Amino acid sequence: MKIDNKLFREHLFDLRPACGTILLVVKMNTLEKLLILADGAKYDVSCASSGVNKSNKGGLGNAKAYGICHTWSADGRCISLLKILLTNYCIYNCAYCVNRNQNDIPRASFTPREVAELTIQFYRRNYIEGLFLSSAVERNPNHTMEKIYQTLAILRNEFHFHGYIHVKVIPGADPALIQKIGHLADRMSVNIEQPSEESLKLLAPQKSMQALLLPMKQISQQIMVNSAERKISRHVPKFVPGGQSTQMIIGASNDSDLAILKTTETLYEKFHLKRVYYSAYVPVNEGPNLPALSSAPPLLREHRLYQADWLLRYYKFKADEIVSRDFPKLETDVDPKIAWALRNIHFFPKEINKASYEELLRIPGIGVTSALRIIRQRRLAPVSYDHLGKMGVVLKRAKYFITCQGRYYGGIPIDAHLIRRALVSPEPHAIQLTLF
Ligand code: SF4
């Protein structure tokens, strides 16, 4: 494989030739592996890659498309992570995956020490604050998870690295191994990939829903046990303190939004997942059960699923309120909350000064924070329409669904068809003017 020497000089370590050629060869191999394995990890969206190349031309800072991605901590901070695969050698043949066994692609495999040293080197240069380590299945699940364990053990016990670490769990691995890793990692995730057993059979026949859910169940139970034990003694070592997450690929199979959101809801309820991530399928393989290579990733659908997911987690919606047998697809022209409001127009208008917290949350344009502000303000004095904007309410959406001190500000009748038209027609200021 051809090495990009400029890239090497600019972005890997400051090698001094004191150790001669051997050291150089070792580092070049590491770069080759890094290019292959960072590229292989880019389809995992549990955290979003920076995805851009920008060189520094006299300004401050630069970016590389590979390797560094971002995630958000519980307190809202953005954290940069080194995002790589431990290996892209895989014994499985999932139809949708670029790393599947039958694909003729450059392959590489890091040793645990290489990953640990890369992490520390990147950390020392202030490129990253943590590690996102995923992997294909090399030889068997236990072999791969053992290598992941060794990587974390070197990082935590030898280098005393206390930064954030997110690791993938390979279903089928020994539960004892998963438990050991859980005491070293901040977050773990088992990728469910497809929302239904049927899709797994069609696209990833070597996997089964039951095998995927088993480690999720184990992690969920051990998190609960650990938190109970830590209430008794703070000396009990933490187990996956950042919780667990998963990823679903959207658009590789024919599963409806209803099926996807039902599975999501079950995962949140049964296994208390922190997040379900959705990844619009990027066609990388040809196959009779896959979308054509020329088809575009369903990015708008992915976006709507994230909005619907938000409603499940923070707005107390149920999956079958957002989509149902009658409406199995999320609408594209309006977000899922507006779509629900338009289907339930009899619920509106709601009087801002009387609606309960739960009712306020159902109003498009009112979020969790603005609903709480309204409730707090109402205890002191009635809320006026002018106050609402200052409280964070998005009036261009909310005005069609509320009254404030008995007055309606929508300007059109409360009719689902008319409100939809008003909401989807472009704002006058959004029209792009031409120069000529
Ligand atoms: S097991 Fe993972 S890496 Fe291997 S083919 Fe399936 S999705 Fe790809």
Side-chain angles (χ1 to χ4, degrees):
M1 185 190 182
K2 193 172 174 295
I3 285 284
D4 181 341
N5 282 323
K6 186 165 174 286
L7 192 73
F8 176 68
R9 279 198 309 275
E10 284 177 0
H11 298 288
L12 269 195
F13 318 132
D14 302 324
L15 281 183
R16 305 294 167 219
C19 302
T21 318
I22 293 175
L23 180 59
L24 188 65
V25 169
V26 170
K27 294 298 182 188
M28 285 178 77
N29 282 341
T30 305
L31 175 63
E32 285 177 350
K33 290 181 186 180
L34 182 63
L35 291 175
I36 294 169
L37 295 171
D39 193 60
K42 72 185 177 194
Y43 298 101
D44 199 318
V45 296
S46 300
C47 44
S49 174
S50 55
V52 287
N53 270 311
K54 272 189 287 179
S55 57
N56 187 345
K57 296 199 176 76
L60 189 67
N62 55 25
K64 279 286 151 197
Y66 54 83
I68 315 281
C69 70
H70 302 100
T71 192
W72 279 265
S73 64
D75 59 5
R77 278 179 316 123
C78 177
I79 303 175
S80 308
L81 302 176
L82 172 62
K83 178 178 171 183
I84 44 173
L85 296 181
L86 185 62
T87 177
N88 67 347
Y89 286 102
C90 196
I91 55 170
Y92 292 158
N93 237 329
C94 307
Y96 45 81
C97 179
V98 70
N99 298 316
R100 66 181 177 175
N101 183 280
Q102 75 182 68
N103 280 9
D104 182 16
I105 55 166
R107 303 272 176 183
S109 192
F110 277 127
T111 63
R113 186 158 294 278
E114 281 173 329
V115 176
E117 285 178 353
L118 265 178
T119 307
I120 296 300
Q121 294 285 356
F122 272 69
Y123 185 81
R124 288 208 174 117
R125 279 159 182 78
N126 213 15
Y127 292 168
I128 58 158
E129 289 162 82
L131 171 67
F132 177 88
L133 185 59
S134 187
S135 185
V137 188
E138 189 180 49
R139 288 198 222 165
N140 57 56
N142 275 345
H143 172 80
T144 313
M145 287 298 278
E146 181 61 41
K147 280 179 77 177
I148 290 177
Y149 170 70
Q150 285 170 14
T151 308
L152 268 59
I154 295 171
L155 275 168
R156 295 293 198 215
N157 303 333
E158 193 177 317
F159 295 143
H160 304 290
F161 177 68
H162 293 285
Y164 179 86
I165 301 181
H166 177 164
V167 288
K168 288 283 155 192
V169 175
I170 310 292
D174 187 341
L177 206 42
I178 296 175
Q179 177 156 13
K180 281 201 303 184
I181 295 172
H183 285 297
L184 298 174
D186 292 282
R187 176 170 282 196
M188 296 176 96
S189 48
V190 186
N191 279 358
I192 192 167
E193 307 287 12
Q194 298 299 321
S196 67
E197 186 78 59
E198 295 72 44
S199 305
L200 276 177
K201 277 201 184 112
L202 204 62
L203 300 175
Q206 290 148 309
K207 295 178 175 175
S208 76
M209 194 56 89
Q210 198 196 5
L212 293 170
L213 296 184
L214 266 179
M216 260 190 213
K217 187 175 171 193
Q218 181 198 345
I219 294 167
S220 155
Q221 286 175 347
Q222 286 183 346
I223 288 175
M224 280 194 286
V225 170
N226 183 255
S227 96
E229 287 174 347
R230 282 182 55 80
K231 279 188 190 134
I232 298 165
S233 166
R234 303 314 286 173
H235 299 296
V236 173
K238 288 181 180 170
F239 182 84
V240 198
Q244 62 169 328
S245 57
T246 191
Q247 167 184 279
M248 259 190 267
I249 297 172
I250 304 306
S253 65
N254 289 328
D255 291 289
S256 66
D257 294 331
L258 174 61
I260 293 165
L261 288 174
K262 277 290 206 189
T263 303
T264 299
E265 187 175 60
T266 308
L267 293 175
Y268 282 134
E269 283 175 5
K270 277 184 117 173
F271 304 123
H272 314 289
L273 263 62
K274 284 278 181 205
R275 285 293 300 271
V276 174
Y277 290 91
Y278 308 95
S279 171
Y281 176 62
V282 181
V284 286
N285 298 325
E286 274 179 322
N289 301 317
L290 288 171
L293 274 182
S294 56
S295 44
L299 292 175
L300 179 57
R301 187 178 177 201
E302 178 194 279
H303 176 62
R304 293 284 183 240
L305 281 165
Y306 275 116
Q307 290 176 321
D309 183 277
W310 198 260
L311 296 183
L312 291 178
R313 286 188 294 141
Y314 297 110
Y315 288 75
K316 303 175 192 245
F317 274 78
K318 293 287 190 196
D320 44 21
E321 289 182 289
I322 303 167
V323 273
S324 65
R325 280 183 196 280
D326 297 336
F327 306 95
K329 273 178 76 174
L330 290 167
E331 296 185 36
T332 48
D333 58 346
V334 288
D335 71 45
K337 195 172 173 190
I338 292 179
W340 176 86
L342 294 176
R343 285 201 304 273
N344 294 277
I345 200 70
H346 56 274
F347 185 77
F348 302 101
K350 284 285 165 208
E351 168 54 47
I352 285 291
N353 287 291
K354 289 189 184 147
S356 65
Y357 174 67
E358 286 73 21
E359 287 173 332
L360 288 173
L361 283 184
R362 297 267 160 162
I363 299 170
I366 296 186
V368 173
T369 308
S370 46
L372 284 172
R373 284 183 186 145
I374 290 168
I375 298 279
R376 254 184 251 128
Q377 174 62 29
R378 272 183 352 199
R379 289 190 196 123
L380 306 173
V383 176
S384 73
Y385 187 75
D386 293 339
H387 278 135
L388 289 175
K390 292 178 195 137
M391 290 176 167
V393 174
V394 184
L395 287 170
K396 67 179 178 188
R397 293 206 284 277
K399 66 182 178 183
Y400 302 111
F401 302 96
I402 57 169
T403 57
C404 199
Q405 297 181 309
R407 189 164 161 205
Y408 177 67
Y409 291 83
I412 53 174
I414 303 172
D415 173 90
H417 181 68
L418 294 176
I419 295 174
R420 177 186 293 271
R421 218 168 53 190
L423 284 167
V424 297
S425 33
E427 296 278 319
H429 60 75
I431 295 167
Q432 179 65 56
L433 299 177
T434 62
L435 270 177
F436 305 102

